[in-house]
């Protein structure tokens, strides 16, 4: 391992499958679903075309001190829960505050606070609006909260790139370390935006699945796929210089060896039909890592379950990496965690490599005939994974590919 490598030393998550990384991994391997009906949580009498989602089964507020939880939006609470787990998993590194940075991406930020306090304003007047509203709704609130929690003074950053935000945050964290601006970075993504307005808005553009049975709604790569399921949660990694991790006795086997960030410049909500920008992101990650397409054993796919999106990604993978990589699509179990999705799925990728086990894709009963790739279904597939890519693609044509290797 090169001393300048960026290694993964800690993982933390709260997802629709549970309140920690262990629950996430067990749920993925067992092919569980975190999707359920949320009609009882919506406004009574409000008619929505979609009333299923993938919420966190445990409120992050219940895992925090009541006073600190009250000061944070739900998305910020989730980020703090995941970051504390990641920091503990990393062995609570001793690092100078001036050498520790935070990068936490999000797609929307504190929308629950915004909607809630607007309701208070309309019903009770301006004097009843919480003085904590602005820090709770601002997009950089989660990153700021973590910088205070861990005393990070080497910079606090908030990538906002829709569904690519969490992956972009991890890529940015690696850049900070390689540039010598930080030795340790807390990086990831968070989102808590399951609301009536987001469900209605995504449904209006035909992005959400309208399937009746929640557990079978999210169907990436399936012939009968009809859209994604909105989810929530947070995923956080601790990234570190390899020599620093070794010096403190932390054995880190996974290297973040490459990251590619590109843009389609094509359409606000649809990917390039041939996956051009997505392919370019994977190629950029390969160049940075000094690898070729044939070196990649596994791809953790963005695969949301939309007709055009899954097909574009499949085309980009085949033309960039060939037919040999083994694929999985976590959103069938997790739903789409928007700004947290890329970070949580990067964690799943790292766990797949550590455990030499690729989780199955739920609900994939009939692979769409245009998608001629090797996708794990039914049960997990075992085998060594020396190099893997995880893809995250967002509205606005924003593409991020992260490439991890074993060392």
């Amino acid at each position: 391992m090169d001393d300048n490598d960026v290694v993964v030393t800690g993982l933390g998550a709260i997802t629709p499958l549970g309140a920690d990384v262990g629950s996430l991994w067990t749920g993925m391997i067992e092919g569980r679903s975190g999707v359920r009906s949320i009609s009882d949580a919506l406004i009574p009498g409000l008619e929505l075309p979609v009333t299923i989602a993938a919420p966190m089964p445990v409120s992050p507020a219940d895992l925090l001190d009541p006073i600190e939880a009250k000061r944070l939006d739900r998305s910020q609470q989730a980020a703090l829960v995941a970051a504390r787990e990641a920091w503990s998993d990393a062995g609570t590194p001793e690092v100078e505050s001036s050498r520790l940075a935070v990068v936490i991406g999000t797609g929307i930020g504190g929308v629950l606070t915004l909607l809630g306090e607007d309701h208070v304003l309309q019903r009770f007047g301006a004097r009843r609006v919480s003085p904590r509203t602005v820090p709770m709704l601002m997009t950089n609130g989660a990153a700021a909260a973590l910088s205070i929690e861990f005393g990070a003074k080497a910079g606090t950053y908030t990538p906002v790139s829709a569904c690519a935000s969490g992956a972009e945050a991890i890529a940015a964290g690696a850049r900070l370390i390689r540039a010598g601006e930080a030795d340790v970075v807390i990086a990831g993504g968070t989102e808590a935006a399951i609301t009536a307005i987001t469900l209605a808005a995504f449904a209006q553009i035909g992005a959400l699945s309208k399937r009746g049975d929640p557990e079978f709604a999210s169907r990436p790569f399936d012939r009968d796929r009809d859209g994604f399921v909105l989810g929530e949660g947070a995923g956080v990694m601790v990234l570190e210089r390899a020599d620093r991790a070794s010096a403190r006795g932390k054995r880190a086997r996974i290297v973040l060896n490459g990251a590619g960030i590109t843009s389609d410049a094509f359409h606000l909500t649809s990917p390039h039909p041939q996956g051009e920008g997505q392919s370019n992101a994977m190629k950029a990650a390969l160049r940075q890592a000094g690898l070729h397409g044939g070196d990649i054993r596994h791809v953790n796919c963005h695969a949301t379950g939309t007709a055009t999106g899954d097909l574009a990604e499949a085309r980009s993978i085949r033309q960039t990496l060939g037919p040999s990589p083994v694929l999985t699509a976590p959103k069938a179990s997790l739903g789409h965690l928007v700004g947290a999705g890329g970070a949580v799925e990067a964690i799943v990728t790292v766990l797949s490599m550590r455990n030499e086990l690729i989780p199955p894709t739920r609900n994939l009963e009939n692979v769409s005939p245009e998608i001629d790739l090797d996708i794990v279904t039914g049960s997990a597939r075992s085998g060594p994974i020396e190099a893997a890519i995880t893809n995250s693609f967002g509205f606005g044509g924003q593409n991020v590919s992260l490439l991890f290797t074993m060392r």
Side-chain angles (χ1 to χ4, degrees):
M1 184 180 296
D2 191 297
D3 285 350
N4 293 318
D5 280 344
V6 176
V7 295
V8 179
T9 56
L11 303 174
I14 178 168
T15 74
L17 293 175
D20 54 28
V21 168
S23 300
L24 168 65
W25 180 242
T26 300
M28 289 300 308
I29 292 300
E30 295 179 354
R32 295 181 197 163
S33 173
V35 183
R36 64 177 176 84
S37 170
I38 58 163
S39 55
D40 57 340
L42 297 171
I43 302 170
L46 183 66
E47 293 187 10
L48 290 174
V50 174
T51 57
I52 62 171
M56 292 176 277
V58 178
S59 171
D62 294 339
L63 304 175
L64 302 174
D65 176 84
I67 295 176
E68 70 179 351
K70 191 174 181 180
R71 296 171 178 165
L72 301 172
D73 178 79
R74 185 175 171 91
S75 64
Q76 298 166 1
Q77 295 167 356
L80 183 55
V81 168
R84 284 177 174 171
E85 182 186 12
W87 195 250
S88 176
D89 185 47
T92 58
E94 293 184 7
V95 54
E96 293 181 17
S97 59
S98 62
R99 303 298 299 167
L100 174 64
V102 171
V103 191
I104 299 294
T106 185
I108 302 174
V111 65
L112 292 176
T113 294
L114 176 61
L115 294 173
E117 292 303 314
D118 182 67
H119 176 73
V120 169
L121 173 65
Q122 299 296 333
R123 187 170 181 183
F124 302 109
R127 292 182 64 83
R128 294 288 296 276
V129 172
S130 170
R132 292 186 287 268
T133 299
V134 171
M136 290 174 68
L137 69 81
M138 65 189 191
T139 315
N140 66 318
L146 297 194
S147 72
I148 294 168
E149 168 80 7
F150 297 100
K153 297 181 179 179
T156 302
Y157 304 85
T158 306
V160 180
S161 46
C163 315
S165 302
E168 185 173 333
I170 293 170
R175 283 181 176 177
L176 288 171
I177 293 173
R178 291 194 179 102
E181 296 182 32
D183 293 328
V184 180
V185 179
I186 299 166
T190 190
E191 206 77 80
I194 299 175
T195 70
I197 185 64
T198 48
L199 288 172
F202 278 126
Q204 280 292 91
I205 59 173
L208 295 184
S209 172
K210 296 182 180 179
R211 196 175 298 272
D213 192 331
E215 291 191 3
F216 297 95
S218 183
R219 310 179 72 83
F221 296 130
D222 192 81
R223 180 189 63 197
D224 301 319
R225 65 191 185 278
D226 69 335
F228 68 78
V229 174
L230 186 61
E232 63 173 4
V236 174
M237 286 183 172
V238 175
L239 303 175
E240 198 165 345
R241 278 176 54 96
D243 58 347
R244 194 186 181 287
S246 298
R248 66 183 184 88
K250 183 68 175 179
R251 181 170 177 258
R253 294 185 293 157
I254 307 294
V255 180
L256 177 50
N257 226 345
I261 300 176
T262 66
S263 49
D264 285 350
F266 174 74
H267 192 274
L268 275 175
T269 57
S270 296
H272 188 282
Q274 300 302 319
E276 181 181 287
Q278 300 172 4
S279 178
N280 288 338
M282 286 183 275
K283 289 176 181 176
L286 287 167
R287 283 195 302 272
Q288 192 175 102
L291 297 177
H292 302 285
D295 297 323
I296 303 301
R297 152 78 173 162
H298 169 50
V299 180
N300 185 301
C301 299
H302 180 68
T304 63
T306 62
T308 57
D310 288 9
L311 182 55
E313 183 175 12
R315 286 170 173 165
S316 72
I317 289 171
R318 191 172 183 86
Q319 70 185 26
T320 310
L321 308 178
S324 58
V326 180
L327 279 52
T328 193
K331 291 180 179 67
S333 293
L334 293 167
H336 193 347
L337 309 190
V338 194
V344 169
E345 291 167 32
I347 289 170
V348 174
T349 305
V350 167
L351 292 171
S352 295
M353 297 178 74
R354 284 181 179 174
N355 295 288
E356 299 187 347
L357 203 58
I358 300 173
T361 301
R362 262 188 72 90
N363 303 329
L364 184 50
E365 298 171 356
N366 299 288
V367 179
S368 186
E370 310 98 323
I371 298 170
D372 184 20
L373 291 166
D374 184 4
I375 307 168
V376 180
T377 62
S379 59
R381 190 181 303 182
S382 62
I385 305 168
E386 293 299 323
I389 282 178
T390 179
N391 286 328
S392 297
F393 310 132
F395 277 6
Q398 304 198 221
N399 312 301
V400 179
S401 295
L402 303 176
L403 194 160
F404 295 95
T405 57
M406 294 287 295
R407 288 288 179 86

